């Protein structure tokens, strides 16, 4: 029995250790946000990596998600003569759920993994220790610009993805012979159902998801050890943990914002 509970106890202690360390990192990042004006070049560099460089992949993802959503729902609604509300369904789905979650997954997989790997390499090869020797706080110099870039760029990417997904849904709704909803009908249904409150909910979620991605990936990067193998494990761990926390936060925020 002792052999069973020993690993469990270690896992619980490890969970609280990680939770405490991430809380401390969050506090330091929030504290150093006041230094953001002095780190504008670093922030802009990270915004270009997270935002601009992700646009092509986000475009393809959002376009085909909107098309698939319109295709599946439109064919089913056509059986009951309700295909005229397909614009409302695509708009709600993209703005409230699919846009924020799928785009955040994309950023976590594409940019978050790169963050964790870059910081992991710096940690393993003692570049972080070199910064401390030069009296440069790694959180201010490395984590804070990434955090600010994430909470700015992820909502912007979500808005862009929502628009592209809605356009993809409109094309399929109009061009598919079994559905055939005119652009005017699609637009009327969309605007009648989609209010500013819905857009605000999606942006609130995406900002929270962006913060989660930055915190998790920076923490995992700083905690990397074990050479090349450890860097690979940290990269995988950062993406998996980001996905899990995004899904948990999605439920919590949906419940709170309903």
């Amino acid at each position: 029995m002792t052999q069973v509970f020993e690993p469990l106890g270690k896992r619980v202690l490890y969970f609280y250790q990680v939770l405490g360390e991430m809380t401390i990192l969050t506090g330091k990042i929030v504290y150093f946000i006041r230094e953001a004006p002095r780190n504008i070049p670093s922030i802009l560099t990270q915004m270009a990596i997270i935002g601009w460089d992700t646009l092509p992949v986000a475009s393809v993802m959002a376009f085909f998600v909107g098309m698939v959503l319109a295709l599946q729902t439109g064919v089913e609604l056509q059986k009951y003569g309700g295909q005229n509300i397909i614009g409302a369904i695509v708009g709600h789905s993209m703005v409230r759920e699919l846009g924020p979650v799928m785009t955040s997954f994309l950023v976590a997989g594409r940019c978050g993994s790169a963050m964790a790997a870059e910081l992991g390499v710096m940690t393993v090869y003692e570049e972080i220790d070199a910064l401390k020797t030069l009296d440069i706080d790694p959180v201010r110099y490395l984590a804070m610009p990434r955090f600010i870039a994430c909470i700015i760029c992820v909502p912007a990417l979500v808005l862009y993805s929502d628009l592209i997904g809605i356009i993809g849904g409109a094309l399929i709704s109009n061009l598919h012979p079994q559905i055939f909803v005119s652009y005017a009908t699609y637009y009327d249904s969309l605007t009648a159902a989609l209010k500013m409150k819905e857009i605000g909910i999606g942006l609130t979620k995406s900002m929270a998801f962006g913060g989660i991605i930055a915190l998790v990936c920076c923490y995992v990067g700083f905690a990397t050890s074990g050479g090349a193998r450890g860097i690979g494990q940290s990269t995988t761990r950062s993406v998996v943990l980001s996905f899990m926390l995004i899904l948990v936060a999605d439920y919590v925020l949906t419940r709170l914002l309903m």
Side-chain angles (χ1 to χ4, degrees), residues 204-226:
T204 301
K205 286 184 177 183
S206 58
M207 189 176 295
F209 298 162
I212 287 171
I213 293 168
L215 288 172
V216 168
C217 296
C218 288
Y219 169 77
V220 172
F222 286 142
T224 302
S225 61

Side-chain angles (χ1 to χ4, degrees), residues 9 32 40-41 47 49 55 59 63 92 104-106 118 135 149-150 186 189 200 213 224-225 243 250:
F32 282 120
I40 294 296
M47 287 177 67
I49 295 170
L55 280 179
S59 301
F63 189 68
H92 268 292
S104 299
F105 279 0
L106 176 62
E118 183 180 357
D135 199 26
C150 274
Y186 183 93
S189 171
I213 293 168
T224 302
S225 61
F243 283 7
D250 182 43

